[in-house]
């Protein structure tokens, strides 16, 4: 173990636990899953109940997987898919900066997850324990994280995103 592996562990834990906390909040905070489902319906992700469960479960699951370094490129792809959907449905019309509810935060989470998948989980990871090496990493990790994530997020939008049509008076 060296500083590189500790650095990757810190990065994975920060990213993963942040994402898991978002999923936990969708389940247990505020309006809970019912409120989250109503919100998903209101932004055009229909049916809202399905997307509330998917988003919450994926945020918790992919977040914990990335934090512990389990199937790291797949967990990172989950981050990318989640952030593509969030950026498009909620943040794109607000510009770049997070202070205006823009898509900056979504981009940072997605790109950082792709970077982790590219570097590999490191020696302090379940991937290392189970597979004996940080694999797949490098170009394969990048392609899995970015490619699978983008295709999954765009596919979800194409199939389920049905925003309310706005009328101009």
């Amino acid at each position: 173990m060296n500083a590189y592996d500790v650095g990757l562990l810190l990065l994975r834990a920060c990213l993963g636990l942040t994402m898991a906390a978002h999923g936990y909040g969708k389940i247990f905070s505020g309006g809970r899953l019912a409120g989250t489902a109503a919100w998903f319906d209101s932004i055009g992700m229909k049916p809202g109940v399905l997307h509330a469960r998917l988003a919450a479960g994926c945020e918790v699951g992919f977040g914990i997987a990335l934090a512990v370094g389990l199937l790291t490129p797949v967990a990172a792809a989950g981050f990318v898919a989640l952030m593509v959907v969030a950026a498009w449905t909620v943040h794109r019309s607000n510009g770049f900066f997070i202070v205006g509810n823009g898509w900056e935060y979504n981009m940072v989470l997605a790109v950082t997850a792709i970077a982790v998948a590219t570097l590999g989980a490191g020696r302090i990871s379940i991937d290392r324990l189970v597979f004996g090496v940080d694999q797949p990493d490098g170009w394969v990790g990048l392609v899995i994280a970015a490619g699978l994530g983008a295709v999954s997020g765009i596919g979800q939008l194409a199939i389920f995103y049905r925003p309310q049509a706005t009328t101009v008076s």
Side-chain angles (χ1 to χ4, degrees), residues 127-145:
D127 284 348
R128 179 65 154 209
L129 182 66
V130 172
F131 302 113
V133 292
D134 308 334
Q135 64 179 351
D137 63 357
W139 290 111
V140 174
L142 183 144
V143 168
I144 291 171

Side-chain angles (χ1 to χ4, degrees), residues 7-99:
L8 280 173
L9 172 63
L10 290 171
L11 182 57
R12 287 191 344 259
C14 177
L15 280 171
L17 296 177
T18 297
M19 184 65 77
H22 278 271
Y24 179 89
K26 284 177 174 61
I27 299 167
F28 298 109
S29 296
R32 303 167 80 80
L33 270 178
T36 302
W39 178 73
F40 271 106
D41 274 328
S42 77
I43 65 168
M45 289 302 294
K46 302 185 185 271
V49 170
L50 171 68
H51 293 288
R53 290 180 179 155
L54 279 174
C58 288
E59 287 173 0
V60 170
F62 290 133
I64 291 171
L66 194 75
V68 301
L70 174 63
L71 301 173
T72 302
V74 175
F79 270 64
V80 173
L82 287 160
M83 294 301 98
V84 164
V85 171
W88 187 262
T89 59
V90 179
H91 302 285
R92 77 182 150 98
S93 64
N94 300 320
F96 178 72
F97 294 105
I98 191 65
V99 295

Side-chain angles (χ1 to χ4, degrees), residues 141-166:
L142 183 144
V143 168
I144 291 171
L148 179 62
V151 166
S152 297
I154 292 166
Q156 185 179 10
L157 289 167
I159 295 168
F160 296 107
Y161 185 51
R162 301 293 176 261
Q164 185 77 8
T166 57

